[in-house]
Amino acid sequence: MTVRTRFAPSPTGYLHIGGARTALFAWAYARRHGGQFILRIEDTDIARSTPEAVQAILDGMRWLGLAHDEGPFYQMQRMYRYKEVIQQMLAAGTAYHCYTSKEELDALRAEQEARKEKPRYDGRWRPEPGKTLPVPPSGVQPVVRFRNPAEGVVAWDDQVKGRIEIANAELDDFIIARADGTPTYNFCVVVDDWDMRITHVIRGDDHVNNTPRQINLLQALGAPVPRYGHLSMILGDDGTKLSKRHGAVSVMQYDEDGYLPEAVLNYLARLGWSHGDDEIFTMEQFVAWFDLDHITSSAAQFNTEKLNWLNAHYIKLADDARLGQEIRRRLAREGVADTVVPDPAEIAALYKDRVSSLNELADSAHPFYVAPHPAAELAAQHLTDVAKSALRDLRSRLAKADFSAEALAKMLKETLAATGLKMPQVAIPLRVVLLGQPQSPAIDRVLAVMGRDEVLKRLDALIA
């Protein structure tokens, strides 16, 4: 058997972190077993589905690098198939027309609730041997209901939650096609999984209640039943339901916020799954290790601090040229004109060990392209007459120096010897002049990256 998994989001909003984890686990399971990963867009909710949401899903999957082998398939393009299967079920007697009006259903629900019974359809239009059905009312378009088994249980061995059994008596004859002929979610999913030969359904545990209905539908169609694994929800840092303040935002917001996709993937992989004590691993390792047996059945908890730690780790490992492109992209968002000097890759090499996000890296790079204006109190504290005198001495040396870090370090030592000052008494004022702040990486490296012309221009502006 070839393993075939699927990720089937509804385009009624962005791809959020919970959906991304589901996609990652389904993708990894297919890759682990040499199978196929299918992307399906469940867009039958016409009122809420939008092209923008579809694009957000595709962008998020692309950014994460979760490439699909087939698709994307769109349910709205498969309506002919759903209607074909419904007609086959009506002919086979596994589905039937129901003419019960909304008012009748509301009254039925009220009676059942008054008796403290579980609200459910009472099967008044369900065909049974020897049963006389009412005469269909004129002018009423019927819905189509699935003829759910009346007895027995529907059971499956959930690959995350273990054995689950539901009595068929708990499941009523649910609607599979509305009065206007449009099929319902549970029906479309079943036909899609059947047609696409899905062998393993890995999805959130908010779908557990749908599974018995879908299994019964598949069995009525004579279709193979996939293996199911339902992932528990993700909670926020504080143990409550994940919300926007915890990180339940669009996957692409993580890009906007300065995260690398490999950091997000590594973090998502550990949300409910583990491989011993391993915290940091490549996607190749993850695929090689991944199985469903080590997914916890309890809720996972989102931890922003750990995500930031992972992001810092991957930024340190990242290629400087790649980080330079990320700096360019982020500075462009701030209106900083693209320029080749200084090379953003060299700035990335300076700062990547000091930041935990790409946005912090871009913030560190900003003063290299836009001359800062030191705060008045900072200038008063550090740009004293003594400091300015030392910087003027340094400036005369820098005008003739080779702008390598080694030569610049030598120039700084010559200024210290000439003025009798210590390194902080020169380096800190120099940082304030060049970067508008008293801390930075090694000042000789900062000078080398900024370049002679810009360094001299900034010194002249503040110490003349």
Side-chain angles (χ1 to χ4, degrees), residues 96-318:
Y96 60 92
H97 287 119
C98 171
Y99 295 86
T100 310
S101 67
K102 181 181 182 301
E103 292 73 21
E104 289 175 313
L105 288 173
D106 289 343
L108 174 63
R109 174 182 288 272
E111 293 169 6
Q112 290 169 333
E113 289 177 344
R115 296 193 297 267
K116 301 190 183 310
E117 296 173 358
K118 178 181 177 180
R120 50 180 291 128
Y121 174 66
D122 62 1
R124 62 186 63 181
W125 286 94
R126 176 181 171 119
E128 298 287 6
K131 177 180 177 180
T132 302
L133 296 176
V135 176
S138 61
V140 175
Q141 291 296 319
V143 300
V144 178
R145 290 184 181 272
F146 171 56
R147 197 171 187 275
N148 194 75
E151 299 176 347
V153 298
V154 54
W156 73 97
D157 292 313
D158 196 278
Q159 293 189 279
V160 175
K161 296 183 174 297
R163 184 74 172 176
I164 297 177
E165 295 187 2
I166 306 291
N168 278 318
E170 294 293 311
L171 308 173
D172 59 4
D173 290 357
F174 58 94
I175 295 171
I176 60 174
R178 303 176 184 90
D180 63 2
T182 59
T184 59
Y185 166 79
N186 273 317
F187 180 77
C188 295
V189 168
V190 161
V191 176
D192 288 343
D193 285 346
W194 179 24
D195 286 355
M196 297 173 191
R197 307 186 313 283
I198 301 302
T199 62
H200 294 76
V201 173
I202 300 167
R203 58 188 179 185
D205 65 2
D206 53 328
H207 288 283
V208 167
N209 289 338
N210 292 326
T211 303
R213 294 174 171 83
Q214 292 174 10
I215 290 175
N216 280 343
L217 265 174
L218 285 162
Q219 291 176 334
L221 291 167
V225 177
R227 298 288 304 275
Y228 292 92
H230 291 91
L231 310 175
S232 295
M233 70 170 63
I234 302 172
L235 302 177
D237 302 71
D238 55 4
T240 61
K241 184 179 178 181
L242 197 66
S243 64
K244 286 186 178 180
R245 66 189 174 89
H246 301 108
V249 294
S250 167
V251 163
M252 296 311 296
Q253 185 64 47
Y254 285 90
D255 177 37
E256 292 289 311
D257 291 345
Y259 291 93
L260 287 170
E262 55 264 46
V264 175
L265 286 169
N266 192 155
Y267 182 71
L268 287 177
R270 288 287 286 113
L271 274 181
W273 174 87
S274 63
H275 182 267
D277 295 326
D278 292 292
E279 293 285 351
I280 298 175
F281 39 80
T282 65
M283 281 299 98
E284 291 76 17
Q285 288 173 312
F286 175 56
V287 167
W289 294 340
F290 185 72
D291 57 34
L292 298 175
D293 296 336
H294 288 86
I295 296 177
T296 178
S297 59
S298 57
Q301 193 158 343
F302 196 89
N303 186 319
T304 304
E305 186 176 325
K306 182 173 284 189
L307 173 58
N308 292 340
W309 171 75
L310 275 170
N311 202 45
H313 168 80
Y314 280 103
I315 288 174
K316 288 181 178 68
L317 295 181

